[in-house]
Amino acid sequence: MKDEAYKLYVSNKNLPNADSISYSLSVVPDQYPSISAELFKDSTDKRVQFFAGEASDDYGLKSLTFNYRVKREGKEQPDAAQSEKLRISGDKQARFDYTFDMYQLDLKPGDEVTYYFEIWDNDGVNGSKSSRTNLMLFNMPTVEELEKQEQQNNEEIKDKLLDAMKESKKVQDEMKKMREKLLQEKELKWQDKKEMEKLMERQKELQKQIQQAKQQFEENLQNQEEFSKTDEQIMQKQEKLQELFEKSMSEEMQQLMEEIQDLMEKMEKDEALEMMEDMQMNDEQLEMELDRMLELFKQLELEHEMQKTIDKLEELAEKQEELSEKTGEENSEEKQEELKKEQEDINKEFEDIQEKMDELEKKNEELERKKDLADTEEEEKSIEEEMEQSQDNLEKQENKKASKNQKKASEKMKEMAQKMSSSMQSGQMEQMQEDMQALRQLLENLVTLSFDQENLIDEFGVTEINTPRYVDLTQQQFKLKDDFRLIEDSLQALSKRVFQIESFVTEKVTEIKSNMKSGLDDLEERRKPQAADHQQRVMKNVNDLALMLSETMEQMQQQMSGMMQGNQMCNNPGGQGKSGKVPKDKISQGQKSVNEMMKDMKNQMQNGKGGSSKQFAKMAAQQAAMEALERNGRNYSRRGQGDPKLQEAIDEMNSQRADWSIKNLTNEMLKRREEILSPPARAQQQNVKSMDEKRQAQTARQYERKPPPSLEEYLKKREAEIDLFKTVSPALKPYYKNLVEEYHKSLKSK
């Protein structure tokens, strides 16, 4: 147990006076083990934490544990400590990594979690000794902190969207100036390439801003899902806005930037100019989308805050009513003080609601089209008076009078909440009616534009390029371009109010503008065949746009019918059955109807009859209804409630609707139509079969939590260090092994 010295004397009868040999025993005491753990956080999810650590001892390690304890909000004593044993080797050094998933702890707002790692050595003489990492703490935010964080995120999201919109406009202007400059140069210069690189960097920063806003929006959604109940309509709008965020992160834009940089490197001027024009159009589309997202986000924020305020007012009314019942009972002096305190708390909560009402007024002022908020000034004043009187009566110990005041205050709170709720619903109905009227007018304008474009195509087909009539027709094409600009402005204004309008509507608008511009350029250069192609594409995209808006109007009608009492428009406003299944038999019947219509039109066209725009439009409209039904099936398929095989039929329909829009009907197309019938029919048969089978329970699957990239990189480097340790020869003496280990430690510390 301590240092000793001893001698050996070697002697015998032939060597009685031999020399001695001295030895010494040096005892190395077993020190405490050492342990360290580094925390890696995922910025998108703070309740999943990743650790990578090391432990070492001068003799050897025995066991490693992860320990945690939860203290619940409102409880004085924490829950029992929990410990989990981790696997390590018994060597002198050990490396470990661990994922702490706090979702398994069922944490509530205000809960605390303390946790640490503990390592034990293999001291067999004195008993195992342990060392711990520092005690780590995780606090679940309270409800008030979550609301404050949500408000802060909302403000930052609005600022980022506004900044991104301004930056997009600046990038467009810079891109336009650079294109004009390159058009005047014979060949690209090194300086041009550097300017383009700067533009690309600004474009990347723009995408980064949008990504940050998207992450903050998703963080708010996650908190709302876990700690509060959200109205179904608001949830649908949140999902739609989330889709807009995702689609604004355009992969096409990223690909365009890479192609432009590649062309600039190769000094290919003409192709680079074409790519820059495409990128400018995409930036215009992005600017429109950002403008729309900002306005829709403001509306959603106002509606969500309004709904939360109504819910809080109803909860406060319940509290006031419960306090009224307590106050009406016989109470001791101690109970009397508690009643006063509870009334003071309710008064304070109502003041907070009043402050929230003022904030709602300010948020409403920020909207381009303000909403009609309920005027609750009279109700607020009346509630304040009743609560003040109840407070005075409690001070005078006149509890019966105080109870009556509290009861009246509770009733008036409920009336105020009902007034706010009714005002919000009626405002939504009025807004929806106005939007539907504007949408109908847009559809009429689009149909008129489509027919005008078709007439122009026919007239250009029989007009020579060197005649005055050709010039007149070109001027008419310019007029159609101006007409569409008015439609575009109206559509952009409408899209800022209507969540149902899909993001790809903006893509169609961009395609129409692009084809109109290219078509006019070709007409001015007397390139009739090329111009005809762009005119056909314009008509096709206008027809597609009209069909998309028609579907949007149908969705709004269904939503309105669901909001109206008695479901006046249909028995099933949601368009789905109770089970959420799509009636695939109707899809098949609809496809057969479309197929028969196509065959009749094909026969008429072969005889020199039929094939008018009206017939094609009717057929496309019927097909659009089928596609809407199919899309519902696809949405339920994503949630695990539908049949994913319908996607093949949907893709085929989308590819053929373009052919109808330009009046292209072939035998091959008819054959493909017959094939489309097969997937829904097969899906229907399989669905019926699956319903007959006995339902089987399935165990929930555990999904692996992926570590953040920074941790993965760290683990790779650490694996490389382990390989370096393995290169130490086991034949070395302990003294030299220790020297090598110390050397590796010194390298790591540097």
Side-chain angles (χ1 to χ4, degrees):
M1 299 296 291
K2 61 182 180 179
D3 294 349
E4 290 284 352
Y6 65 94
K7 291 183 179 181
L8 293 178
Y9 294 92
V10 182
S11 65
N12 55 21
K13 61 181 181 179
N14 297 321
L15 189 62
N17 298 318
D19 291 337
S20 63
I21 303 175
S22 298
Y23 290 93
S24 63
L25 293 175
S26 180
V27 176
V28 179
D30 193 347
Q31 303 293 334
Y32 277 81
S34 63
I35 184 172
S36 63
E38 187 175 357
L39 172 62
F40 294 83
K41 292 183 179 180
D42 189 341
S43 59
T44 61
D45 196 345
K46 298 179 181 178
R47 277 192 284 170
V48 179
Q49 298 187 352
F50 304 90
F51 294 92
E54 294 184 352
S56 62
D57 186 63
D58 45 4
Y59 279 92
L61 300 171
K62 183 178 181 181
S63 66
L64 172 66
T65 58
F66 177 76
N67 311 272
Y68 65 90
R69 176 174 288 184
V70 181
K71 184 178 183 300
R72 304 292 177 180
E73 171 71 8
K75 292 185 178 180
E76 295 183 0
Q77 297 297 326
D79 296 347
Q82 303 294 325
S83 181
E84 182 178 351
K85 192 169 184 179
L86 308 182
R87 182 183 298 178
I88 59 168
S89 64
D91 299 333
K92 294 182 180 181
Q93 291 190 346
R95 289 173 170 79
F96 61 90
D97 55 83
Y98 181 73
T99 301
F100 186 27
D101 186 357
M102 283 180 267
Y103 282 97
Q104 300 177 357
L105 306 182
D106 191 26
L107 298 178
K108 305 296 181 184
D111 291 351
E112 293 181 357
V113 186
T114 53
Y115 47 97
Y116 61 90
F117 291 92
E118 186 171 15
I119 188 70
W120 300 80
D121 69 4
N122 63 349
D123 191 345
V125 178
N126 302 303
S128 292
K129 302 182 295 297
S130 69
S131 296
R132 298 178 178 180
T133 59
N134 294 330
L135 191 66
M136 292 168 274
L137 175 67
F138 176 81
N139 287 315
M140 278 293 292
T142 61
V143 174
E144 291 77 13
E145 289 172 342
L146 287 170
E147 289 182 351
K148 187 176 179 181
Q149 179 64 40
E150 182 180 353
Q151 292 177 2
Q152 182 180 347
N153 283 349
N154 287 343
E155 293 302 319
E156 291 180 4
I157 289 170
K158 289 187 287 188
D159 291 340
K160 283 184 173 65
L161 289 177
L162 185 60
D163 292 343
M165 192 167 62
K166 292 178 180 177
E167 182 65 16
S168 176
K169 183 67 175 175
K170 291 178 182 178
V171 170
Q172 288 177 54
D173 294 338
E174 292 293 330
M175 188 71 70
K176 184 178 179 181
K177 291 177 182 178
M178 189 166 184
R179 283 190 70 250
E180 292 173 353
K181 177 185 174 184
L182 293 180
L183 284 169
Q184 297 174 2
E185 296 177 355
K186 293 183 179 180
E187 57 183 17
L188 294 176
K189 300 177 182 177
W190 179 83
Q191 185 178 359
D192 298 329
K193 187 173 71 172
K194 289 299 176 183
E195 289 180 8
M196 178 54 69
E197 288 177 359
K198 291 180 181 178
L199 269 179
M200 295 298 105
E201 288 299 322
R202 290 176 64 178
Q203 191 75 41
K204 290 177 182 176
E205 287 297 320
L206 176 61
Q207 295 285 333
K208 188 176 179 182
Q209 279 184 314
I210 300 173
Q211 177 65 28
Q212 290 172 349
K214 175 177 174 287
Q215 289 177 353
Q216 288 177 311
F217 181 70
E218 289 175 346
E219 181 181 349
N220 284 352
L221 293 185
Q222 185 178 0
N223 290 336
Q224 290 170 19
E225 287 175 3
E226 295 176 11
F227 305 118
S228 64
K229 293 182 179 179
T230 307
D231 183 72
E232 185 177 353
Q233 290 185 9
I234 293 178
M235 286 180 64
Q236 291 175 355
K237 293 180 179 180
Q238 288 173 341
E239 290 176 2
K240 183 64 67 175
L241 193 56
Q242 191 172 14
E243 288 179 12
L244 290 177
F245 269 112
E246 291 172 354
K247 291 178 181 178
S248 66
M249 310 297 295
S250 173
E251 294 181 3
E252 183 182 354
M253 177 69 74
Q254 185 67 30
Q255 186 178 355
L256 267 177
M257 289 192 293
E258 293 174 359
E259 289 177 359
I260 291 173
Q261 284 182 320
D262 185 49
L263 291 171
M264 294 293 284
E265 289 289 339
K266 297 176 181 177
M267 296 296 186
E268 295 179 6
K269 175 185 169 183
D270 294 337
E271 294 183 18
L273 284 171
E274 291 180 8
M275 290 289 181
M276 289 170 68
E277 186 175 6
D278 291 340
M279 186 171 175
Q280 188 177 346
M281 293 291 290
N282 279 333
D283 274 331
E284 289 179 10
Q285 179 182 330
L286 177 62
E287 183 187 358
M288 291 170 61
E289 283 296 314
L290 290 172
D291 188 21
R292 183 193 178 197
M293 286 163 58
L294 178 60
E295 188 63 21
L296 290 179
F297 181 79
K298 289 178 181 178
Q299 290 183 36
L300 180 60
E301 181 188 20
L302 177 64
E303 291 178 14
H304 188 215
E305 291 296 329
M306 176 67 76
Q307 188 61 52
K308 286 200 301 185
T309 304
I310 293 171
D311 294 340
K312 286 182 180 179
L313 191 57
E314 290 175 346
E315 291 175 6
L316 191 61
E318 295 295 332
K319 284 185 182 180
Q320 186 70 85
E321 188 173 2
E322 290 175 4
L323 183 60
S324 171
E325 294 174 359
K326 291 182 184 178
T327 306
E329 301 171 355
E330 295 293 333
N331 295 293
S332 61
E333 291 185 5
E334 293 181 359
K335 288 284 186 181
Q336 192 74 12
E337 291 300 321
E338 289 181 9
L339 294 175
K340 292 179 186 178
K341 180 67 170 59
E342 287 185 36
Q343 185 61 55
E344 288 175 2
D345 292 340
I346 290 176
N347 293 354
K348 179 65 172 63
E349 288 185 49
F350 187 71
E351 289 176 6
D352 293 339
I353 289 176
Q354 288 179 302
E355 291 178 3
K356 181 62 71 175
M357 295 288 290
D358 294 336
E359 291 178 10
L360 290 174
E361 289 287 349
K362 293 178 182 178
K363 291 182 186 298
N364 192 36
E365 291 296 322
E366 295 177 2
L367 296 177
E368 291 184 6
R369 186 166 181 174
K370 300 173 183 58
K371 296 181 179 295
D372 293 329
L373 301 182
D375 184 9
T376 58
E377 185 176 353
E378 185 178 343
E379 286 81 359
E380 291 177 41
K381 188 179 294 185
S382 178
I383 292 169
E384 285 178 350
E385 291 175 357
E386 294 292 346
M387 290 195 298
E388 287 175 2
Q389 289 179 11
S390 69
Q391 193 77 33
D392 293 339
N393 288 327
L394 284 172
E395 292 288 343
K396 298 175 185 178
Q397 295 188 351
E398 296 178 354
N399 286 15
K400 290 187 177 180
K401 291 183 178 180
S403 177
K404 290 181 180 179
N405 295 132
Q406 291 167 345
K407 183 70 173 176
K408 288 181 180 179
S410 172
E411 292 173 353
K412 290 178 180 179
M413 285 181 190
K414 292 178 181 178
E415 291 174 4
M416 179 178 166
Q418 181 62 37
K419 183 178 181 180
M420 292 170 64
S421 180
S422 299
S423 175
M424 191 168 80
Q425 290 182 2
S426 63
Q428 288 176 349
M429 289 289 290
E430 290 176 7
Q431 180 69 56
M432 207 171 279
Q433 288 173 354
E434 292 179 15
D435 293 340
M436 285 184 63
Q437 187 175 358
L439 199 53
R440 287 192 189 96
Q441 186 61 51
L442 264 177
L443 282 170
E444 289 179 11
N445 294 340
L446 284 169
V447 171
T448 302
L449 181 66
S450 176
F451 280 113
D452 290 345
Q453 183 65 77
E454 183 180 16
N455 293 334
L456 268 181
I457 292 172
D458 293 339
E459 292 194 37
F460 268 113
V462 296
T463 303
E464 297 295 332
I465 61 175
N466 295 322
T467 60
R469 180 60 178 162
Y470 182 88
V471 178
D472 291 339
L473 293 177
T474 304
Q475 292 300 322
Q476 291 182 34
Q477 186 67 55
F478 271 104
K479 182 181 180 301
L480 289 186
K481 181 182 177 183
D482 295 336
D483 291 344
F484 183 73
R485 189 176 297 143
L486 296 175
I487 293 175
E488 179 190 359
D489 293 340
S490 301
L491 181 58
Q492 178 67 8
L494 187 63
S495 67
K496 293 180 183 180
R497 305 192 301 270
V498 180
F499 279 83
Q500 289 87 347
I501 293 179
E502 299 287 350
S503 61
F504 48 72
V505 168
T506 310
E507 297 175 14
K508 286 294 175 187
V509 171
T510 305
E511 290 179 19
I512 293 170
K513 288 169 60 179
S514 176
N515 282 292
M516 276 192 168
K517 180 181 179 301
S518 300
L520 284 168
D521 291 341
D522 290 331
L523 287 174
E524 289 180 334
E525 296 295 331
R526 301 296 197 273
R527 296 191 293 261
K528 245 177 47 167
Q530 293 87 338
D533 178 66
H534 289 296
Q535 288 173 324
Q536 290 278 5
R537 292 179 184 275
V538 167
M539 188 176 69
K540 174 253 181 187
N541 287 311
V542 168
N543 291 343
D544 282 350
L545 186 57
L547 287 171
M548 292 172 186
L549 295 180
S550 177
E551 293 169 9
T552 299
M553 192 163 67
E554 289 176 5
Q555 292 175 14
M556 293 174 67
Q557 288 173 339
Q558 290 177 358
Q559 186 175 349
M560 284 184 66
S561 67
M563 294 170 66
M564 296 168 64
Q565 292 183 352
N567 297 332
Q568 298 175 9
M569 293 186 67
C570 62
N571 296 328
N572 188 9
Q576 304 294 334
K578 292 181 180 179
S579 62
K581 299 292 179 67
V582 179
K584 299 185 183 68
D585 55 335
K586 292 185 179 180
I587 296 174
S588 301
Q589 293 171 9
Q591 294 297 340
K592 290 178 181 178
S593 176
V594 173
N595 285 2
E596 291 172 2
M597 191 184 302
M598 289 173 66
K599 290 177 181 178
D600 292 340
M601 288 179 63
K602 179 68 177 176
N603 295 331
Q604 291 177 16
M605 291 173 69
Q606 288 175 348
N607 297 326
K609 300 177 182 179
S612 66
S613 294
K614 185 176 181 180
Q615 288 174 306
F616 274 98
K618 183 179 179 181
M619 187 168 61
Q622 186 170 351
Q623 181 61 22
M626 293 302 101
E627 291 177 18
L629 202 57
E630 292 281 11
R631 273 196 297 275
N632 289 335
R634 180 173 59 190
N635 291 336
Y636 280 94
S637 176
R638 287 175 181 169
R639 302 174 194 171
Q641 300 174 357
D643 195 334
K645 293 185 178 180
L646 295 176
Q647 179 61 40
E648 181 183 350
I650 296 173
D651 295 338
E652 187 68 25
M653 292 172 192
N654 287 330
S655 68
Q656 293 190 17
R657 187 168 62 175
D659 293 332
W660 297 346
S661 301
I662 59 174
K663 302 171 68 173
N664 180 22
L665 192 59
T666 62
N667 289 326
E668 182 183 355
M669 185 175 176
L670 291 172
K671 184 178 179 182
R672 283 156 56 194
R673 294 304 306 168
E674 296 292 341
E675 293 175 354
I676 287 179
L677 272 174
S678 301
R682 287 197 301 268
Q684 181 185 358
Q685 293 173 359
Q686 292 176 2
N687 204 22
V688 172
K689 182 180 178 181
S690 63
M691 290 174 64
D692 295 336
E693 293 176 356
K694 186 177 180 180
R695 180 193 282 174
Q696 296 180 353
Q698 293 183 353
T699 305
R701 292 178 293 175
Q702 294 290 339
Y703 292 95
E704 182 182 359
R705 297 281 186 180
K706 292 185 178 181
S710 56
L711 176 58
E712 290 183 347
E713 184 179 355
Y714 175 81
L715 293 176
K716 287 179 182 178
K717 290 182 179 179
R718 196 172 64 166
E719 287 296 327
E721 287 182 5
I722 294 174
D723 292 338
L724 187 62
F725 274 106
K726 290 178 180 178
T727 60
V728 179
S729 174
L732 291 176
K733 298 291 184 181
Y735 173 76
Y736 294 105
K737 279 187 179 181
N738 290 335
L739 287 180
V740 172
E741 290 175 0
E742 291 297 327
Y743 172 69
H744 285 308
K745 287 181 182 179
S746 66
L747 287 178
K748 185 177 178 185
S749 63
K750 292 178 181 179

